[in-house]
Each structure stands twice: as C-alpha cells, then as structure tokens.
C-alpha cells in the first residue's frame, strides 16, 4: 500500500491534473455555535459568521482583496531556497508534501508578499497561509518575511504582516529555527529606516513564530478569539501542574494582560491600520480614511500611536478598541 500511496497515486494525479476547487458543501458549520451558514454569505462577510462573530480562516487572496484599495495588488517574487536540504521523510517524502500543498494553495510556500495601496498610500503586506503546511516557518517562509521587510524598506512604506502559523517546520530541522534570528535582523533594519511594522495575529499563531517576528511589531493587533501562544495549553498545564484560566492564550486574554495592543474585528482592520499608518508615518490626512474609519477606532489609534512613539504627552485616557 505504501508504494501505491506514495508513488502510483501521485503519478496518476500529476498526469490527469488537479480538479478545480469547488465547494463540496454549500453550507458551513460555525465551530462556536453550531449554526449552519450559507458559504456565499460568509464570503460576502469576509468569512466572519454574521450572528456569532466567529472569525473563520480566510484565504490570502480574499484577505488582500478586502484589505487593499479596490482589491488591487501585485505579488512580490520571493527568492527560491534549497528544497529538502535534510532529505527528510516521514509518512511521505518532503518534496511530495511541498508539491501537494503547492497544488492545493496555488502558492510556492506559506508566505505571500504583495504591494498595493491602503487609503491611497503605498503599503507592503505579507500573509502567512495556514493552509500551506499549517503556515509553518521554513527557509522559504523565512525568506518571504525577509523579502516583505526589505521591500517595505526599499519602497519606504509601512509593512503589515498577517500571521497564522503552527510554528517551525520540522522537515527542515535547525534550518527552520535559523529563520528566527534572520527575520529579527530584517525587522531591525526596517526599524532603522524609521518605518512602522504592524503585526496582525490571527487564529492560530503559535510556536517559534510567536517567539520571533510575530512579537516584534511596533503595534500588535489581533482578531477576536484568535489563539496566540508559544507552547500548547495542555503542555503548560502538565508542566506547572495547575489548571489554566478560562480563555487562556486567546486574543482577549492577551489584550487584558498587555501582550496585544488591540483586538480588532476583521471589518475594522483596514481602517484601523490605515489610521495608524498615517499617524506613524506623519502622512497628510486622507479624506477617504476620515470618512471610513469609525470614531471609536480613531480615538484608540491616537492613543496607540502616541505610545508607539514613546511620548505620553498630556493626552487624556481614551477607551481601547476592543472588539467583542
């Protein structure tokens, strides 16, 4: 059976080609409430369940179309890296896993870099695709993050990173762990250029990614209900031999304990980051942004931007933009 699974079937698929992706089920079950939602309604609502507000995973192309002006963007090519340097094999050969995930997602690896405009201002965006091997961090993904940071520095734009990852990629061993210091150096170069780095933590963000660039942003935003942490909750409980509090490692819990600057609904991310980017880059006011951003978000962004610049001033305290 191993010979059939590992050789014959992939060979047949490669000859016949991949079937176009079609929705097998027109109804999607809400993991939180159990409600059945028509998938077109979810797609129109940026994959947020209308009644419960549960944020489902969203594909990178859908994210870019709803985040950037007019849904227009240009993909930035990421330099190629060595494939399968360790000749790793578990149930499948590592190159076979890469081939399957590339066919499934349409991208070469888990990080996609794009350029576009946000409220008429140039911006650079990178997205980790959880559908590609759990958004794991390997050499190609690390190079993608570095390419995004370098592109932002060369174009003199703010850099936005949407993070979703299960951690380092085991098939590349220590080479995947080396991406942590490499990306850290690239973040420092962007900071030296005086350009803002926004991190949006989505569900889930765990492992070595959380221990590196995901926590090195100038402003950290998180989608509601996102799981964010380093080690798993069960591992922590077994180590400390104590029961963890309710909601532990969720974005709201991290916001309350100072690990996240804001918890922002997906519908408000565009205006929130647009406002912050304009403030931190000292750009001229945009009429489009002023007409779009909700007042409560603008107020909290002012406070967050002042904190990011390290100048408390004499501003009165304002309410944080914590989306329930």
């Amino acid at each position: 059976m191993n010979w059939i699974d590992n050789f014959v079937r992939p060979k047949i698929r490669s000859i016949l080609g991949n079937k176009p992706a079609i929705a097998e089920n027109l109804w999607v079950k809400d993991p939180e409430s159990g409600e059945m939602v028509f998938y077109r309604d979810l797609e129109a609502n940026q994959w947020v369940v209308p009644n419960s507000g549960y944020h489902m995973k969203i594909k990178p192309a859908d994210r870019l179309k709803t985040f950037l002006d007019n849904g227009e963007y240009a993909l930035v090519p990421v330099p190629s890296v060595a494939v399968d340097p360790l000749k790793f094999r578990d149930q499948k050969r590592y190159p076979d896993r890469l081939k399957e995930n590339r066919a499934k997602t349409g991208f070469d690896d888990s990080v996609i870099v794009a350029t576009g405009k946000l409220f008429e201002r140039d911006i650079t965006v990178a997205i980790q695709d959880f559908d590609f091997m759990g958004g794991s961090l390997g050499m190609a993904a690390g190079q993608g993050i570095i390419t995004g940071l370098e592109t932002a520095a060369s174009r003199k734009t703010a850099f936005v990173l949407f993070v979703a990852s299960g951690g380092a990629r085991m098939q590349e061993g220590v080479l995947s762990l080396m991406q942590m210091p490499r990306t850290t150096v690239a973040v420092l170069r962007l900071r030296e250029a005086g350009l803002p780095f926004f991190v949006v933590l989505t569900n889930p963000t765990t492992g070595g990614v959380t221990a590196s660039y995901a926590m090195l942003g100038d402003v950290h935003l998180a989608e509601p209900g996102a799981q964010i942490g380093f080690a798993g909750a069960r591992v922590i409980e077994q180590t400390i031999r104590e029961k963890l509090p309710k909601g532990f490692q969720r974005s709201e819990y991290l916001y309350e304990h100072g690990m996240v600057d804001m918890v922002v609904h997906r519908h408000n991310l565009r205006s929130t980051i647009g406002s912050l980017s304009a403030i931190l880059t000292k750009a001229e006011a945009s009429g489009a942004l002023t007409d779009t951003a909700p007042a409560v978000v603008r107020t909290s962004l002012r406070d967050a931007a002042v904190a990011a610049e390290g100048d408390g001033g004499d501003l009165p305290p304002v309410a944080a933009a914590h989306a329930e």
Side-chain angles (χ1 to χ4, degrees), residues 45-50 52-55 63 200 221-224 252 262-272 297 321-324:
N45 204 40
Q46 298 184 36
W47 294 95
V48 178
V49 180
S52 67
Y54 182 85
H55 284 51
R63 173 86 73 178
V200 182
L221 302 93
E223 291 187 338
E252 291 79 6
M262 281 183 276
V263 178
V264 183
H265 194 283
R266 187 174 291 167
H267 293 172
N268 295 331
L269 280 174
R270 175 176 154 84
S271 58
T272 300
V297 174
H322 183 93
E324 297 297 339

Side-chain angles (χ1 to χ4, degrees), residues 56-309:
M56 305 190 76
K57 292 182 178 66
I58 181 172
K59 293 184 181 300
D62 293 338
R63 173 86 73 178
L64 290 170
K65 286 179 181 178
T66 56
F67 183 71
L68 298 174
D69 290 355
N70 303 319
E72 298 175 354
Y73 60 91
L75 293 177
V76 178
V78 176
S80 59
V81 299
V83 178
D84 197 16
L86 304 180
K87 306 300 179 185
F88 192 93
R89 182 188 181 109
D90 43 59
Q91 293 178 340
K92 297 180 181 178
R93 293 171 59 248
Y94 182 39
D96 292 338
R97 287 193 183 276
L98 290 175
K99 189 175 182 180
E100 288 178 7
N101 282 271
R102 285 168 179 169
K104 179 176 69 173
T105 62
F107 295 106
D108 289 337
D109 212 272
S110 60
V111 174
I112 297 95
V113 183
T115 58
K117 288 185 178 293
L118 183 64
F119 292 104
E120 302 173 357
R121 301 187 185 94
D122 290 335
I123 198 162
T124 306
V125 182
I127 299 176
Q128 278 189 280
D129 186 3
F130 193 80
D131 285 341
F132 195 107
M133 296 185 70
S136 52
L137 174 64
M139 290 190 296
Q143 188 61 51
I145 300 296
I146 293 169
T147 298
L149 290 161
E150 290 177 344
T151 301
S154 64
R155 297 178 71 243
K156 301 188 185 309
T157 69
F159 181 58
V160 182
L161 174 60
F162 292 90
V163 187
S165 178
R169 188 172 296 177
M170 68 174 186
Q171 287 88 348
E172 296 183 14
V174 70
L175 297 174
S176 66
L177 298 179
M178 285 301 298
Q179 306 314 306
M180 297 167 65
R182 290 186 71 228
T183 52
T184 300
V185 171
V187 171
L188 294 176
R189 287 176 180 170
L190 185 71
R191 191 162 295 162
E192 289 172 358
L195 298 166
F197 174 29
F198 302 105
V199 177
V200 182
L201 303 163
T202 69
N203 185 46
T205 301
T206 58
V209 169
T210 310
S212 54
Y213 54 83
M215 286 297 173
L216 294 178
D218 296 306
V219 181
H220 294 94
L221 302 93
E223 291 187 338
Q227 181 184 359
I228 306 164
F230 180 66
R234 283 185 298 177
V235 174
I236 297 173
E237 286 183 336
Q238 291 170 1
T239 302
I240 66 176
R241 300 184 184 279
E242 292 183 15
K243 189 69 176 175
L244 295 172
K246 185 178 180 181
F248 182 76
Q249 289 187 333
R250 294 294 170 179
S251 53
E252 291 79 6
Y253 183 91
L254 269 65
Y255 167 73
E256 292 171 0
H257 290 77
M259 290 287 290
V260 170
D261 296 312
M262 281 183 276
V263 178
V264 183
H265 194 283
R266 187 174 291 167
H267 293 172
N268 295 331
L269 280 174
R270 175 176 154 84
S271 58
T272 300
I273 295 175
S275 297
L276 272 174
S277 178
I279 294 171
L280 295 183
T281 57
K282 299 179 180 179
E284 294 182 2
S286 169
L289 177 58
T290 305
D291 295 338
T292 305
V296 63
V297 174
R298 287 202 306 272
T299 306
S300 63
L301 293 181
R302 182 167 173 262
D303 195 28
V306 170
E309 291 177 348

Side-chain angles (χ1 to χ4, degrees), residues 23 25-28 37-47:
N25 195 339
L26 297 179
W27 297 88
V28 180
V37 186
F38 189 47
Y39 88 98
R40 289 195 182 276
D41 293 338
L42 273 177
E43 189 176 24
N45 204 40
Q46 298 184 36
W47 294 95

